[in-house]
Amino acid sequence: MIQIPQRLLGEALLKSAKKHPSKIAIIVKEKKYSYSQLYKEAETLAQYLISAGIKKGDRIAIYMDNSWPCIVSIYGITITGAVFIVINPQTKADKLQYILFDSSSKILITSENHKKELLQVLQEPHQIQHIIVSGNNSFLDQTDQVPSSSYDEIIKNYKALKNEQPNIIPNDLAALIYTSGSTGFPKGVMMTHLSMVFTTWSLVEYLRLDVKERIILLLPLAFDYGLYQLLMSVTIGGTLIVEQSVVFMASIYKKMQKYKPTIFPGVPTIYAMMID
């Protein structure tokens, strides 16, 4: 049988969910999520976004910590043919507003622990048409400018007829990855499905990764090096162990002892902290 190579970013999740439905895909905050759960929730969110009017090429921003909802949102957006932008959760209101404007984001997916920065952004002119909040979204009652929905309610209760999926091609834009903006305003790097699939498979082949890998993620998903750990793990049908903070190294060592990762990606700062 001829095997058709992966063309689109979301196809990796579909293939891994079919091949390893019950396998643990993501571990975060001691909770384990299977590939079938990841695909089901991503598909649910995608259907909600399509019913809300999102079309191929529309920009959707994700302003969250490394978390299960963040990972679901990345793949849910990808399935719709829209463009995802993962914004570093440490981004302050002024740069957050700039990125949202620069990317022309229509929807913002966020969490309640970022309400301080978000409320500041909403006081200024913006282009956001809808906000989806993981956790309690009652803080948005302070402003009536933008309609909002509960991420948790969407995943739990949303039922819809199967909307027609957009006709996505490899050269379509998949993501905008923004620089930190440490020396000026952040700049968005345009990434197509083709470029991201090629990069993912190049890394997989170079590192000789396979289905047995367990990757521990300490880097933010807004950082391309962090994002590709997720993409590689899903592509090979591996397991991603998500750590949300590198402040307490003792907790990281405990996770390493408990989950026994085979891959530990890091940057010099992380290794310096470990040595100290």
Side-chain angles (χ1 to χ4, degrees):
M1 180 183 293
I2 297 175
Q3 290 193 349
I4 300 175
Q6 181 187 348
R7 298 167 55 254
L8 308 175
L9 207 56
E11 289 176 348
L13 175 57
L14 176 59
K15 290 180 179 180
S16 290
K18 284 184 176 180
K19 194 171 183 179
H20 315 285
S22 60
K23 183 177 179 180
I24 301 303
I26 309 293
I27 302 174
V28 56
K29 288 187 173 180
E30 307 301 326
K31 292 186 178 180
K32 299 178 180 180
Y33 302 91
S34 69
Y35 273 101
S36 60
Q37 284 178 283
L38 179 54
Y39 180 75
K40 180 180 178 182
E41 292 198 16
E43 180 67 31
T44 299
L45 180 61
Q47 291 300 315
Y48 178 84
L49 293 171
I50 293 172
S51 68
I54 285 297
K55 294 179 173 56
K56 185 173 80 168
D58 287 343
R59 274 65 162 167
I60 301 177
I62 305 170
Y63 182 50
M64 308 174 102
D65 297 310
N66 285 6
S67 62
W68 173 247
C70 181
I71 292 170
V72 171
S73 297
I74 289 171
Y75 279 100
I77 294 167
T78 299
I79 292 170
T80 68
V83 180
F84 69 84
I85 304 118
V86 186
I87 302 174
N88 193 315
Q90 302 302 318
T91 302
K92 299 303 180 185
D94 56 343
K95 286 186 178 178
L96 173 60
Q97 184 185 30
Y98 174 82
I99 292 172
L100 294 176
F101 249 113
D102 186 65
S103 63
S104 299
S105 295
K106 290 187 175 181
I107 290 181
L108 174 63
I109 304 177
T110 187
S111 55
E112 63 177 310
N113 55 324
H114 296 299
K115 61 184 178 182
K116 179 182 177 182
E117 305 297 332
L118 183 58
L119 288 173
Q120 289 184 52
V121 168
L122 294 178
Q123 291 174 3
E124 303 296 332
H126 58 82
Q127 299 168 300
I128 297 297
Q129 299 174 7
H130 195 92
I131 300 175
I132 299 174
V133 182
S134 174
N136 189 345
N137 65 337
S138 62
F139 69 90
L140 288 171
D141 294 342
Q142 301 177 41
T143 175
D144 57 1
Q145 297 181 42
V146 186
S148 67
S149 302
S150 164
Y151 170 91
D152 308 275
E153 290 298 316
I154 291 170
I155 298 301
K156 183 179 179 181
N157 299 320
Y158 183 70
K159 304 291 182 185
L161 296 174
K162 188 80 169 179
N163 291 296
E164 184 177 348
Q165 297 289 357
N167 182 24
I168 310 170
I169 62 172
N171 283 330
D172 284 333
L173 197 62
L176 287 172
I177 300 178
Y178 273 83
T179 59
S180 63
S182 56
T183 58
F185 285 109
K187 297 175 179 63
V189 180
M190 302 173 71
M191 304 295 292
T192 65
H193 285 266
L194 179 64
S195 64
M196 297 188 82
V197 169
F198 176 81
T199 301
T200 301
W201 274 106
S202 294
L203 291 168
V204 167
E205 292 294 328
Y206 175 74
L207 296 172
R208 296 178 173 84
L209 304 183
D210 61 33
V211 70
K212 298 187 295 295
E213 308 299 349
R214 301 169 69 84
I215 304 174
I216 188 166
L217 177 66
L218 282 70
L219 304 162
L221 288 164
F223 181 31
D224 58 353
Y225 189 29
L227 177 61
Y228 275 103
Q229 306 309 316
L230 168 64
L231 301 181
M232 287 191 297
S233 185
V234 170
T235 296
I236 62 177
T239 298
L240 188 72
I241 305 154
V242 179
E243 176 59 47
Q244 296 182 308
S245 173
V246 295
V247 176
F248 303 105
M249 294 305 299
S251 66
I252 294 172
Y253 287 127
K254 287 179 181 179
K255 278 190 171 61
M256 291 171 67
Q257 289 179 326
K258 182 175 182 179
Y259 297 117
K260 296 178 173 56
T262 59
I263 306 291
F264 191 112
V267 293
T269 305
I270 291 176
Y271 296 126
M273 291 172 64
M274 295 177 73
I275 292 170
D276 287 341

